[in-house]
Amino acid sequence: MIKTQRFDAVTLAACVLVFAMSSRPIQAWDASFAAVAEVIHTRCMSCHDSETREGEIDLTPLLQKNNSSYGKYTNLWIKLENKVTRGEMPPPGEDPLKPSEKESIKNWFQKSFVLRKGKAHIGRTPLRRLTRYEFENTLEDVLSIKLKIPYRDAITDRIDVSQIESIVPADIPGESGFDNDALYMEQLKPPLNDLANAVHYALSEFSKDSIARKAVLGRADIPADASAVEIQQIISKFLLRAYRGKREQLQEYTKVYYNLYQKHVEISKDCNVSLRHVFEMILVSPEFLYRFEESKNLDTPYPVAGLELATRLSYFLWSTAPDEELLRLGRDGSLLQDEVLRSQVARMLNSRKRLAISENFAGQWLGFDDLLSNREYLSSERWNRETYDEVLFFVDELIKSDKSFLELIHSDWIYKRSSALSSDRHGYQVVDPETGQTLYADIFSSRQSTTQNERARYDPPVLVKTQNDREGGIITSPAIMRLTASKDRTSPIRRGVWVLSTIIGQDLEPPPNVPSLEEARALQVKENPSVAELIKQHVSKSECIICHKSIDPLGLGLENFAPTGEWRTHYPDQTPVQSAGVMPNGKTFKTPREMKLLLLEIYQDDIASNFVEQMFAYALGRKSEPFDRVSLQQILRAVQEDGYKINTVIEQIVLSKQFRYRQDR
Amino acid sequence: MRRNSYLIARRTMLRGAGMSVALPLLDIMSPAVSYAKPTETPPPRLCVLYKGCGVNPHAWDIVGGTETDFELSKILQPLAGVQDDILVVGNLDNEGSSSHLDAPTTFMSGTQRNRVNRYSFDQRIADQIESDTPIKSMQLTADNVWKQHPWLNILSYDKNDQPMRGQYDPQAVFNTMFKDEARTVRQKELLSVLDGVQAASSSLARRGSTRDQQVLEHYYDSIRDVEKSIQRARQNSRDVQLDKTTETFDPNIEVGNLGERIKAMLDLITLAFWTDSTRIVSCMLANTNSRVHYDFMGVNAEFHHVSHHVRNRQVLPAYDKINIWHAGQLRYLIDKMKSIKEGSGTLFDNSLIMWGSGIKHGDYHSLTDLPLILTGGAGGKLDLGRHVRYPQSQPYANLLLTIMRMMGTNAKSIGNSTGQLSGIMEKANFKPTNPDDGSWRLVSSDEKTLTAKGLLRISIESDNEYYQLRFSDKTDLEIRIPFMNNHKLRFDRCVGKVVTVTGLYKTVEGKKTIVTLTKAELE
């Protein structure tokens, strides 16, 4: 049923034809927009015009030529293209689009949102500022001191934060979902007061540490009679370190900061104190806090310099400044070569600094960093650290052993906390039968507990093979089960939504038409319905079932896991847990293991492309956009061909154009 | 420059020094405190307290009574005993429906959702009033930052639309106010550092693209902010005169659950006002999507979860209990402020406290008829002990404008305000509303639809919530509609008004009941 807003397709075609005859290059453009507008008008307007607005969607603005590319309605276009490509629109019950109609939409989207002037591009490269996590790591490396809370092997009943973390406020995640979202950070004023106080603290620790001073300055103490040249050398050395190897204008910077030093030392009469003062300036300056790159002010992509690539690489894989080797290879340009880049990635993933990926990327993506930073999830120090470490070590194991990231969903091994293994091992193999060594991630070997106090002893989780069909992957880990429940009760919807949005990458929106419980009565649900009964209502309404046929089985399938992750067969009120389920494709499952295997069977492609997109967003500091599509598809293909290995994802992202090039507009 | 000083008795000091201090904080600053007698009237202070997640309207609304003689509703019970010190305001609308996501922002800026500039009313006041306090304004929060929706925890925004994060740690708040000595030295150092950085960057070519340079402006703005706030603190520093036999005043403030944190924050607000460290404070008591578990006061549930009390009838008692508890925290603050002498009255007399939620109905997230309490004497400007319900709904932004004027600015508008509100600084004296003119009845009906006119009430019977349209013959037409039907038509806002409804009906047990509304027109 076509509603009021008619426009004459014939007239439109005529206009296009006239236009075509007058200006050839624009002809194709206009013709393809006309085709798209025609499809929208004839196939979408009956539900999505400005009056009806089914699902709160009004597509009429998209009929206008000046809304046909990046601008106010970008998100609407993305949504439209997504639904059409996936066959979700027109909805079931309506005639599907003809292949030619689908093509015209896809072509238009490709032309307007993916390509620019017919060529692939990478969008504007935002200016990146150090996040708190990166700031702390970088200070540690520049000053050669320890600032982060050391891993403790004894329980003290406190989860402490480092001084830096208590001085500098946490960053707020942007649209990318990560706190290093540069497009968001660009809009904010940096908390300079706090950053300066943090630098001040770090420098006071530095001044107490003679080994650090020797390593950084070349000598532990500066004598009172140090010459101007000597002081300048020290400042120059420090600048090179703080500014991540930048040699351009080094002399000018040294001169400026030396002048400031001179002014200060006239009053302080103490060169160590005045040097510290100048170091504080350097570590608060924009060149330290921001990752500037040389700009050509172009609207097309061009490669970044070697040193800049070194910085991008080290912040992606290590969340800190590049080390000597990276700086050298960056400076002499070899890092720009594929083979060198590849071998550096391999080296870096072999270093303990790769922990940043598990802590910072996975911690944010999967949300398990909340176990250590959000009070509401605190049960006890032991419980929180154990469950956090189980997931942390799991993710690191994927990198260490070159495994597929799909094992996050299902694996035949996990990291299991010691407290669950202490008495009866339940058949868990904690020691490698050949070497007799505890099965442990190499970079964590120093975390083996040394305390003699049995009660306070904290042993980190160990690698074990799973023994039942409940464990495997991280979805059913106590960490995730706790994070997707509230203290007193589980919510299947919350868990189902978590799996669908975080792991599978679906963009779920709040339901448009939620009926009141009065309607539930009409379905003859009991006074205090069980979880499964409550959820049954979802299948009674067409507008509910669209999403809930996917959400509910996942959440229900996890109902055997209590809020803190233990296995239960009954609810607190003794009603039995019903957790068998039916996936949207009709296949059934009875155990978590079966559910996970079905997840992989049904959603593997989505899971893979979601994972790639998440890591991509983390690496680039912005969410992915339609114009990234070509690159993302290439990366995904390479990843698929290589068995979905996490290290391949990392390598492919590093090799991508977005990672090695920049663009100013 | 007026210097204020206060003495702290030795015994209370020693109890505090270096050990964990039991709350409430103010007990450590005992009766031996004096606020130096100012020559003029003590300046007014503004405290904005945000309690998210709305209310159950049935438990909040005051029914019947007059402006000065009314019965407190279920949620307001903890304020019995200070009923003469509060002003409950009703029927202020913030336009449109909202989600949890916008409520704090629209509450503080009186704007529609998705408006770009969220410059909040407290900051507008702070920017305009000439106050010689060391701290321009304070932002506090007792609730957590939730990563999924981090902006939910932010109330105040400055004039450049920058979010002003609330301080979560009471110790840090305390240190900001009282750690004077170490601060002065550090301040000097910091100014020198920032001077140096600016000198360095002005003499060196800046790299990066044009766009990068624009981003750097925020960096330099931040430097200027730090310089300004140091300057301000120095000009207006407070002398803490300690008892000579005491060495340090360094309490170790530790809080566990939300209840302790809120009390600590309220104590700190009182301390801040009393010592004139600042005159503008905003505090997030519970954010609008609060996942805090209230087991510390006996409710085994998350606040946000129980706020959805229509979809899930069972949680209603827990929801009311939490809201009652929150009203009790306001009572705590009122009592504290009344106990502190200031000038010829008390700190309470010279403060203006606004307590409320950005949404009304916890489940429908309606923005009409927001739950609001004003209290504190506001230097004599606020007329207390009243319940004012505007006969026609007023823009909520008008209240913000009125408060901005009461605090001494010459603001002309904020958000979608249309002017100041009557009935805040003086009696409202409204005539009784909605008189029955005999026209309330079924107007027309066919097999499927009907149209009727009447006075709309909301009704709760055991665990059943529905609407009732009162006719002139004293019978009621029931209206039981789905959540989104209500949401889309904003039907909730018609409660308490005369409305003409049209909709599809079913006949249940011989009675017509509207099950889908197609139109609702207010008179």
Side-chain angles (χ1 to χ4, degrees), chain A residues 2-44:
Chain A
I2 296 177
K3 289 261 187 97
T4 43
Q5 260 178 301
R6 313 185 111 236
F7 65 81
D8 196 330
V10 172
T11 318
L12 184 67
C15 290
V16 168
L17 219 53
V18 167
F19 216 165
M21 296 196 290
S22 52
S23 54
R24 290 220 64 198
I26 305 178
Q27 165 197 11
W29 191 260
D30 273 357
S32 43
F33 177 68
V36 172
E38 177 67 14
V39 174
I40 296 177
H41 175 71
T42 53
R43 300 308 319 277
C44 315

Side-chain angles (χ1 to χ4, degrees), chain A residues 398-558:
Chain A
L398 297 178
I399 299 174
K400 170 196 171 213
S401 303
D402 206 14
K403 286 180 182 285
S404 155
F405 59 81
L406 293 178
E407 300 210 46
L408 289 164
I409 286 86
H410 174 68
S411 61
D412 62 0
W413 56 275
I414 53 168
Y415 271 89
K416 197 149 175 95
R417 57 208 177 282
S418 314
S419 60
L421 300 171
S422 47
S423 50
D424 178 359
R425 290 260 165 82
H426 303 290
Y428 290 107
Q429 185 100 350
V430 301
V431 162
D432 186 326
E434 273 166 47
T435 65
Q437 301 251 321
T438 309
L439 288 166
Y440 232 25
D442 51 4
I443 68 172
F444 299 130
S445 55
S446 64
R447 294 188 177 193
Q448 187 69 60
S449 180
T450 56
T451 184
Q452 297 302 311
N453 182 346
E454 278 301 319
R455 285 192 59 232
R457 190 184 175 93
Y458 177 75
D459 283 308
V462 286
L463 179 61
V464 297
K465 287 245 178 272
T466 56
Q467 294 288 315
N468 52 50
D469 52 18
R470 306 166 191 169
E471 298 173 327
I474 50 92
I475 295 176
T476 47
S477 66
I480 301 301
M481 289 294 88
R482 174 66 185 97
L483 291 165
T484 53
S486 68
K487 218 191 281 191
D488 60 311
R489 54 184 278 285
T490 58
S491 161
I493 306 306
R494 199 166 154 182
R495 283 183 174 165
V497 166
W498 186 88
V499 176
L500 268 178
S501 58
T502 304
I503 302 289
I504 298 171
Q506 282 190 17
D507 221 344
L508 294 171
E509 284 165 13
N513 268 307
V514 175
S516 69
L517 225 61
E518 277 62 55
E519 306 211 4
R521 291 177 196 290
L523 292 174
Q524 298 187 317
V525 173
K526 311 199 318 263
E527 270 306 303
N528 283 318
S530 71
V531 170
E533 282 164 337
L534 252 180
I535 282 176
K536 238 196 276 178
Q537 301 165 57
H538 294 150
V539 312
S540 70
K541 295 218 148 250
S542 60
E543 54 269 78
C544 305
I545 203 165
I546 291 178
C547 299
H548 277 277
K549 73 176 189 291
S550 308
I551 298 173
D552 295 4
L554 303 181
L556 282 175
L558 296 167

Side-chain angles (χ1 to χ4, degrees), chain B residues 51-62 71-80 86 88 303 309 316-331 355-357 359-362 371-373:
Chain B
K51 178 214 76 67
C53 296
V55 293
N56 163 20
H58 182 69
W60 173 270
D61 290 337
I62 293 173
E71 252 185 58
L72 289 174
S73 64
K74 186 171 166 192
I75 292 178
L76 296 173
Q77 286 305 313
L79 298 162
I86 62 175
V88 184
F303 197 8
H309 61 282
L316 188 48
Y319 186 42
D320 285 344
K321 203 165 166 198
I322 293 179
N323 273 325
I324 292 168
W325 180 87
H326 269 289
Q329 305 314 298
L330 178 61
R331 173 66 187 267
W355 183 100
S357 181
I359 57 176
K360 174 69 178 295
H361 195 297
L372 297 160
I373 303 175

Side-chain angles (χ1 to χ4, degrees), chain A residues 91-377:
Chain A
E94 301 283 334
D95 288 331
L97 290 181
K98 293 203 280 282
S100 60
E101 291 175 323
K102 259 189 159 173
E103 268 309 298
S104 61
I105 289 185
K106 282 171 80 168
N107 283 341
W108 179 257
F109 195 79
Q110 179 82 355
K111 271 213 258 289
S112 293
F113 294 96
V114 179
L115 303 175
R116 194 163 80 178
K117 299 180 187 168
K119 289 209 276 227
H121 73 114
I122 64 174
R124 180 177 75 84
T125 307
L127 175 62
R128 305 193 62 173
R129 172 161 59 88
L130 300 184
T131 61
R132 182 178 71 176
Y133 184 84
E134 294 166 344
F135 174 74
E136 189 169 28
N137 282 348
T138 311
L139 280 178
E140 282 196 334
D141 286 341
V142 169
L143 298 176
S144 193
I145 54 174
K146 288 271 158 271
L147 291 168
K148 288 156 82 155
I149 296 286
Y151 195 88
R152 272 201 307 264
D153 63 15
I155 295 298
T156 57
D157 279 321
R158 299 178 63 93
I159 296 188
D160 290 321
V161 296
S162 69
Q163 267 296 98
I164 305 295
E165 285 162 45
S166 62
I167 297 172
V168 181
D171 297 291
I172 298 181
E175 269 192 82
S176 71
F178 297 102
D179 64 5
N180 67 359
D181 184 327
L183 289 175
Y184 181 59
M185 281 181 103
E186 274 186 341
Q187 301 168 33
L188 300 177
K189 280 192 272 201
L192 276 183
N193 198 345
D194 302 322
L195 290 170
N197 289 342
V199 166
H200 185 79
Y201 169 76
L203 285 169
S204 71
E205 293 296 291
F206 178 67
S207 63
K208 295 183 210 151
D209 187 340
S210 55
I211 299 173
R213 290 200 308 279
K214 188 130 194 283
V216 174
L217 307 175
R219 49 205 300 187
D221 274 299
I222 318 300
D225 59 354
S227 67
V229 173
E230 284 179 292
I231 301 284
Q232 282 176 12
Q233 274 174 354
I234 291 170
I235 292 179
S236 189
K237 206 172 151 120
F238 191 84
L239 275 167
L240 203 56
R241 230 182 137 92
Y243 289 179
R244 302 181 274 271
K246 283 216 178 68
R247 286 194 189 279
E248 291 93 337
Q249 294 190 293
L250 184 58
Q251 277 191 342
E252 287 97 319
Y253 278 108
T254 308
K255 213 161 133 210
V256 166
Y257 282 111
Y258 178 69
N259 284 338
L260 291 162
Y261 164 84
Q262 274 189 312
K263 278 207 201 94
H264 194 268
V265 85
E266 251 166 61
I267 303 171
S268 77
K269 307 282 190 244
D270 183 339
C271 34
N272 286 294
V273 163
S274 292
L275 269 177
R276 239 172 77 185
H277 194 73
V278 167
F279 290 166
E280 188 169 331
M281 291 180 195
I282 292 172
L283 294 173
V284 166
S285 66
E287 287 87 345
F288 176 73
L289 294 176
Y290 292 85
R291 290 160 45 184
F292 284 103
E293 294 175 343
E294 196 73 51
S295 160
K296 299 196 168 99
N297 264 311
L298 294 177
D299 67 353
T300 48
Y302 54 95
V304 299
L307 212 51
E308 294 167 353
L309 185 57
T311 300
R312 288 187 176 196
L313 189 55
S314 70
Y315 278 101
F316 174 27
L317 302 189
W318 287 347
S319 293
T320 190
D323 64 355
E324 280 306 315
E325 186 170 336
L326 268 179
L327 288 178
R328 186 174 46 82
L329 295 169
R331 231 188 318 261
D332 71 20
S334 10
L335 196 62
L336 299 170
Q337 298 157 30
D338 280 19
E339 323 80 60
V340 177
L341 197 49
R342 278 202 171 92
S343 76
Q344 285 302 301
V345 170
R347 171 180 82 92
M348 293 170 83
L349 291 180
N350 219 0
S351 145
R352 63 188 338 270
K353 293 196 216 178
R354 71 169 188 248
L355 190 58
I357 297 176
S358 305
E359 269 185 1
N360 202 14
F361 164 69
Q364 291 187 64
W365 171 48
L366 299 170
F368 65 89
D369 61 351
D370 267 345
L371 287 168
L372 295 184
S373 61
N374 193 325
R375 289 196 75 91
E376 280 309 295
Y377 293 118

Side-chain angles (χ1 to χ4, degrees), chain B residues 74-273:
Chain B
K74 186 171 166 192
I75 292 178
L76 296 173
Q77 286 305 313
L79 298 162
V82 293
Q83 188 167 335
D84 290 337
D85 297 312
I86 62 175
L87 165 58
V88 184
V89 182
N91 216 5
L92 296 185
D93 289 354
N94 215 359
E95 271 312 302
S97 59
S98 175
S99 60
H100 293 293
L101 308 185
D102 316 298
T105 316
T106 56
F107 185 83
M108 297 297 287
S109 63
T111 56
Q112 317 280 345
R113 59 195 293 215
N114 300 328
R115 263 280 292 266
V116 174
N117 195 326
R118 299 159 291 187
Y119 190 16
S120 53
F121 83 105
D122 63 324
Q123 291 308 304
R124 290 175 193 247
I125 296 171
D127 285 338
Q128 234 200 66
I129 56 174
E130 281 292 311
S131 75
D132 54 349
T133 52
I135 299 169
K136 186 168 164 188
S137 69
M138 277 195 336
Q139 291 72 46
L140 310 175
T141 177
D143 206 332
N144 294 310
V145 176
W146 294 90
K147 279 208 309 284
Q148 289 77 6
H149 311 116
W151 57 89
L152 288 186
N153 221 46
I154 296 170
L155 284 172
S156 306
Y157 286 79
D158 71 11
K159 64 175 175 293
N160 295 316
D161 206 38
Q162 293 285 321
M164 301 175 77
R165 311 268 302 271
Q167 179 58 255
Y168 180 71
D169 179 6
Q171 182 75 60
V173 181
F174 187 90
N175 294 347
T176 309
M177 288 195 284
F178 296 114
K179 288 285 175 73
D180 258 333
E181 268 213 14
R183 249 189 355 177
T184 326
V185 170
R186 174 60 191 157
Q187 280 169 0
K188 209 165 154 204
E189 220 169 37
L190 186 52
L191 282 179
S192 171
V193 165
L194 296 176
D195 262 344
V197 172
Q198 288 182 99
S201 55
S202 66
S203 58
L204 293 156
R206 184 53 66 224
R207 346 159 53 94
S209 67
T210 329
R211 187 53 206 268
D212 291 353
Q213 299 303 315
Q214 288 170 354
V215 174
L216 259 193
E217 275 312 306
H218 286 309
Y219 174 89
Y220 292 113
D221 281 344
S222 190
I223 293 189
R224 280 188 279 275
D225 282 351
V226 176
E227 288 173 340
K228 265 196 256 173
S229 72
I230 291 178
Q231 203 181 27
R232 187 194 176 109
R234 282 172 155 185
Q235 271 176 352
N236 307 312
S237 74
R238 296 287 177 260
D239 271 342
V240 179
Q241 277 174 15
L242 305 180
D243 192 286
K244 287 182 198 58
T245 50
T246 312
E247 280 179 3
T248 56
F249 181 42
D250 196 359
N252 189 13
I253 306 171
E254 287 195 18
V255 292
N257 57 48
L258 177 75
E260 290 176 8
R261 193 174 302 269
I262 286 182
K263 290 205 166 54
M265 292 304 181
L266 297 179
D267 281 348
L268 287 163
I269 293 172
T270 309
L271 257 177
F273 285 175

